[in-house]
Amino acid sequence: MMKLLTATTAITLAGTGLALAGTIDDIKARGHIQCGVTQGVPGFSNPNDAGDWTGFDVDICRAVAAAVLSDADAVRYTPLSNTERFTALQSGEVDILSRTTTRTLNRDTALGLNFAPVVFYDGQGFMVRESSGITSALELDGTTVCVSAGSTSELNVADYFTANNMTYEPVRFEKADEVLAAYDAGRCDVYTSDLSGLAARRLVMQNPAEHLMLKETISKEPLAPAVRHGDDAWFDIVTWTVYALIAAEELGVTAANIDQMKAEGSPDVQRLLGSSETGTGEWVGLDNDWATRAIAAGGNYGELWARHLGPDTPLKLARGLNELYNNGGIQYAMPIK
Amino acid sequence: MTAPFLPPRQIFWTRRRVKSLLVQVVFLGGLAWLAYFLFANTTANLQRQGIASGFGFLSQRAGFDVSLSFLPFTSDSSYGRAFWVAVVNALVLSALGIVLATILGFGLGLARVSKNWLIARLATVYIEIFRNIPLLLQLFFWYFAILRQLPGPKESVVLADLVFLNNRGLYMPRPQVDQGGWVIMVCFVAGLCMALVMTLRARQQRLKTGHGPKSWYWWPIGLVALPLTAFMITGASLSFVIPELRGFNYRGGMLMLPEMLAALLGLGFYIAAAIGEIVRSGIQGVDKGQVEAASALGLARRDIMRLVVLPQAMRIIIPPLATQYLSLAKNTSLAAAIAFPEIISIVAGTTLTQTGQALEAITLAMLFYMGVSLSIAAVMNFLNYRVLRHGN
């Protein structure tokens, strides 16, 4: 709430130069990127035992920092609630919002945001207690549902119950861990959120085995990093850093083999890594090694996935739609040329 | 002949009235300029970033549901309606909280000055505990430590098969009148008005002549006998809808959400401690000679308190009491932390995020709290004026 008020005040008081063109100059001058993240979602953005932020969304910020500042560690993280996130970005408190945020028309236009490419194709699901005997979302009539206030989940669940002629009682908390705690303590029969979020939060429940996810997915939730309207140069850098990570997976460039690929790779690889005559640096306003640094920071898109979300992690998520287009998914980089 | 005394010539703008006028004009001008600057700058900043502004969003479909609403509200209702739902929820919570805190607080205040050692000490212990723990913590205590620990619907705490308490809330029977319900309501209201008029008339007569008719019996006649007669004449039947466990939750009956219950207990018990101290200080602030004079006249202890001490104590009590009521109404905002759907939760939370119009949502929330505070202050000022004029 405090953050929200300061951010609101910032919009009111800021001089004419408020956070418009010049984000990159600001970042270079201060030497780090301000990255807005969640207040703690395992796998996406969560502080580890040493207090460092880790996760899939965090690594996106690190890749951008590596591209712009040549230092993946030059990122400061601002944990934001659902309510605070957009105001914090609009007011310039953060440069980039990498925070499991669904891209919607309203946010893209009326809220003054620009969304970089989707980094995670998600959908909303339901979690219930196994002992409740519920097996389908259509059996949820008359239940109490815990949901995060100010999320797309809150709107989807209202639409879903209306469309299926069912009633429910919503219990809405602002912080995600309060929603979870309420469900875990039995205040609600159902916990609804993005499927990835359900999987992540299940890890911190008292007894994860007692809960199950229903098979229905009731919405499309394309999660993407966002920046402010009005600074196209910065938007380009964030957009193409994400594409560079995906392209690297398509081309087989990994953090481990990047030096070798840079020397011996195909023309596409050479162009991506800036080792050919036609480097891409000038076009995005950086040097030719920008993509190399972004990929070397944490690996390609597939490596980030495997490290934070995939089958070898506690979340054990299947790639599904997030698999590359030539591997059964819909993830696909625009040509880097 | 000496020259007549001439006052020193005064420059026009050093005259007192002109000077103070000038200062005020400059100050107001500065204030207006600042307001204009903030407004223009904000609008420009929003426009430059292409962020929507204005209150047009209030007529758009809200698309979310709320757990507690005294107005008809569905996800098809507008954001404007959601605002009013939040307003009513906050007002209901404030009103119930004020009633609870006042009754409890006056009891505590009287107990504090009681001659009974045990009662006085117990009141002191209560006040010291509840006054010295932050309100937010008390809300968490009621909500998380007490109400959340209750069993689920299937293992509810049952009272006489009528009242059910579980972690979904407190379920109570709901009275329901089949027919002629409105006739009974009209009779009730008429009875209330009648009792009020008769009491006031009796009082006026007593003030004028020193003798007045007894008027207390108009209250049971107006509030009980009259509606009861109407009830029997219309042949209406009164029934109670008893909550029953169907599916996942109890249905039917009246439901008090745990969020509401925790907020009410937290706010009521906290403010009651402060009111208790205000009442004690008010009673002790009445001159001792008054009590001595009253007992010299042979008044009973009870009558001394009722007729002599309390009316004078009210003059001391009311101004700080108003502050406590204001504080209670504003502190309902803390109930957002325990998911009670009031202004901060619905307007400065969900509406703000779903529309992205932070400035407008925050402005609405601030206007609400200012409006409520000013209204309470106005009512309490009127009461204070009455007490100063009439003594009670």
Side-chain angles (χ1 to χ4, degrees):
Chain A
M1 202 63 214
M2 216 37 236
K3 220 168 269 158
L4 186 65
L5 287 182
T6 46
T8 314
T9 319
I11 295 187
T12 315
L13 293 178
T16 42
L18 174 83
L20 283 171
T23 309
I24 303 162
D25 294 337
D26 291 347
I27 288 170
K28 283 182 176 156
R30 78 172 105 91
H32 66 263
I33 288 177
Q34 283 291 356
C35 173
V37 290
T38 66
Q39 291 165 315
V41 178
F44 286 89
S45 42
N46 205 28
N48 64 11
D49 294 341
D52 299 322
W53 285 89
T54 59
F56 186 73
D57 284 344
V58 166
D59 274 355
I60 301 288
C61 282
R62 287 172 54 83
V64 176
V68 178
L69 296 167
S70 310
D71 179 7
D73 293 326
V75 188
R76 292 205 188 147
Y77 300 94
T78 309
L80 298 168
S81 74
N82 276 344
T83 319
E84 292 160 351
R85 55 184 164 176
F86 301 125
T87 323
L89 183 60
Q90 290 164 346
S91 64
E93 194 180 331
V94 298
D95 302 311
I96 171 173
L97 191 67
S98 185
R99 192 204 166 281
T100 57
T101 295
T102 306
R103 177 175 182 173
T104 67
L105 186 147
N106 167 264
R107 291 170 179 178
D108 211 335
T109 55
L111 267 64
L113 308 185
N114 276 331
F115 283 91
V118 173
V119 294
F120 191 108
Y121 289 98
D122 208 341
Q124 186 177 340
F126 295 106
M127 189 192 282
V128 294
R129 279 177 196 76
E130 212 165 1
S131 60
S132 68
I134 302 171
T135 53
S136 156
L138 294 169
E139 298 166 18
L140 295 176
D141 192 18
T143 49
T144 307
V145 179
C146 279
V147 62
S148 186
S151 60
T152 44
S153 312
E154 190 182 16
L155 304 179
N156 297 329
V157 75
D159 289 350
Y160 184 77
F161 276 79
T162 309
N164 290 293
N165 268 322
M166 302 192 295
T167 58
Y168 72 108
E169 178 195 294
V171 178
R172 305 149 54 255
F173 283 94
E174 196 196 335
K175 281 190 176 170
D177 44 350
E178 288 169 348
V179 184
L180 175 76
Y183 167 73
D184 213 8
R187 174 70 184 91
C188 304
D189 305 298
V190 186
Y191 173 30
T192 185
S193 179
D194 295 350
L195 285 167
S196 64
L198 291 180
R201 301 235 164 67
R202 194 179 182 173
L203 301 174
V204 293
M205 288 183 147
Q206 286 168 7
N207 201 342
E210 283 177 5
H211 306 273
L212 62 91
M213 253 108 96
L214 299 180
K215 56 185 186 298
E216 285 89 349
T217 307
I218 65 166
S219 71
K220 294 185 286 191
E221 304 290 334
L223 310 181
V227 296
R228 279 178 295 279
H229 267 180
D231 189 345
D232 291 350
W234 171 237
F235 180 41
D236 285 345
I237 288 178
V238 175
T239 301
W240 288 96
T241 302
V242 174
Y243 280 143
L245 297 180
I246 300 171
E249 188 185 9
E250 291 172 357
L251 297 167
V253 179
T254 65
N257 71 9
I258 196 163
D259 290 334
Q260 187 199 349
M261 292 291 269
K262 195 165 185 168
E264 306 163 8
S266 66
D268 273 342
V269 172
Q270 301 259 329
R271 202 162 32 238
L272 171 68
L273 300 181
S275 44
S276 68
E277 299 281 302
T278 53
T280 54
E282 200 184 322
W283 299 333
V284 292
L286 298 168
D287 62 42
N288 278 340
D289 284 334
W290 67 276
T292 311
R293 289 194 302 268
I295 298 160
N300 64 37
Y301 179 76
E303 287 179 282
L304 298 191
W305 235 95
R307 185 161 60 245
H308 299 297
L309 311 169
D312 296 335
T313 66
L315 269 75
K316 296 189 177 49
L317 293 176
R319 282 274 299 254
L321 286 177
N322 295 293
E323 194 55 86
L324 292 181
Y325 71 106
N326 50 14
N327 212 358
I330 58 173
Q331 196 53 280
Y332 167 138
M334 300 300 129
I336 312 253
K337 49 179 61 162
Chain B
M1 201 173 126
T2 53
F5 174 74
L6 280 175
R9 265 189 68 193
Q10 234 180 0
I11 314 167
F12 158 75
W13 44 267
T14 59
R15 274 192 216 149
R16 214 169 135 201
R17 275 191 57 188
V18 178
K19 201 161 82 178
S20 79
L21 197 73
L22 258 172
V23 168
Q24 289 179 46
V25 165
V26 168
F27 181 76
L28 272 181
L31 211 61
W33 176 82
L34 188 70
Y36 171 75
F37 167 77
L38 288 179
F39 178 77
N41 194 43
T42 307
T43 324
N45 276 331
L46 290 176
Q47 247 169 22
R48 195 156 340 95
Q49 287 183 56
I51 298 172
S53 59
F55 287 91
F57 71 92
L58 285 175
S59 57
Q60 287 168 14
R61 178 181 181 273
F64 60 87
D65 288 297
V66 293
S67 55
L68 175 72
S69 166
F70 295 96
L71 308 174
F73 185 83
T74 68
S75 55
D76 285 329
S77 309
S78 66
Y79 284 115
R81 174 55 71 95
F83 170 74
W84 288 112
V85 165
V87 165
V88 173
N89 284 352
L91 290 180
V92 167
L93 180 60
S94 307
L96 292 177
I98 283 175
V99 170
L100 175 66
T102 308
I103 294 173
L104 196 59
F106 272 79
L108 282 168
L110 292 173
R112 279 275 273 154
V113 294
S114 165
K115 294 265 189 310
N116 183 320
W117 187 87
L118 187 65
I119 290 180
R121 285 301 165 289
L122 280 178
T124 310
V125 168
Y126 174 98
I127 286 173
E128 291 308 333
I129 290 177
F130 281 89
R131 196 172 59 153
N132 291 318
I133 296 174
L135 176 55
L136 188 60
L137 216 56
Q138 295 193 34
L139 290 175
F140 285 162
F141 170 77
W142 289 112
Y143 187 62
F144 293 111
I146 303 292
L147 297 178
R148 183 151 297 171
Q149 305 309 319
L150 291 168
K154 291 198 173 80
E155 296 89 35
S156 299
V157 180
V158 183
L159 196 75
D161 272 338
L162 292 174
V163 178
F164 305 86
L165 183 65
N166 57 48
N167 61 11
R168 306 288 161 81
L170 179 66
Y171 293 81
M172 292 162 288
R174 181 162 50 86
Q176 191 176 313
V177 179
D178 291 351
Q179 45 174 318
W182 65 272
V183 180
I184 299 168
M185 271 314 285
V186 167
C187 286
F188 181 82
V189 174
L192 182 74
C193 295
M194 187 177 74
L196 215 61
V197 168
M198 294 316 278
T199 311
L200 285 177
R201 268 187 54 184
R203 202 183 117 112
Q204 253 172 8
Q205 207 175 330
R206 194 164 54 238
L207 283 178
K208 229 194 264 168
T209 64
H211 297 282
K214 283 209 181 340
S215 60
W216 63 267
Y217 52 81
W218 284 108
W219 291 98
I221 290 177
L223 297 186
V224 181
L226 198 64
L228 207 65
T229 320
F231 179 72
M232 291 200 276
I233 289 173
T234 53
S237 66
L238 176 74
S239 57
F240 284 90
V241 184
I242 295 164
E244 55 179 326
L245 187 60
R246 248 180 296 158
F248 303 97
N249 288 313
Y250 277 88
R251 306 241 186 136
M254 277 192 298
L255 165 64
M256 176 92 119
L257 290 172
E259 289 80 26
M260 172 113 189
L261 200 55
L264 183 57
L265 292 175
L267 285 166
F269 284 11
Y270 175 74
I271 299 292
I275 292 181
E277 280 302 86
I278 289 170
V279 171
R280 178 195 57 78
S281 67
I283 291 171
Q284 292 180 342
V286 175
D287 194 81
K288 220 173 142 195
Q290 297 279 326
V291 180
E292 288 167 357
S295 43
L297 284 172
L299 282 179
R301 273 259 288 280
R302 222 182 121 249
D303 289 335
I304 296 180
M305 184 56 91
R306 195 168 61 89
L307 299 173
V308 178
V309 179
L310 273 183
Q312 299 185 72
M314 287 312 281
R315 298 184 177 190
I316 309 176
I317 291 173
I318 285 184
L321 190 64
T323 314
Q324 291 307 321
Y325 287 173
L326 287 182
S327 138
L328 190 145
K330 284 184 285 189
N331 279 336
T332 56
S333 58
L334 289 176
I338 54 169
F340 180 78
E342 45 66 75
I343 297 284
I344 297 299
S345 165
I346 291 183
V347 179
T350 295
T351 301
L352 184 154
T353 318
Q354 302 300 4
T355 62
Q357 298 193 237
L359 286 170
E360 289 82 357
I362 296 284
T363 306
L364 280 179
M366 292 202 290
L367 282 177
F368 167 75
Y369 288 113
M370 204 171 76
V372 168
S373 298
L374 290 179
S375 315
I376 293 180
V379 170
M380 296 308 278
N381 278 342
F382 170 74
L383 271 181
N384 194 31
Y385 168 79
R386 263 190 60 110
V387 166
L388 290 183
R389 281 278 302 268
H390 304 291
N392 63 39

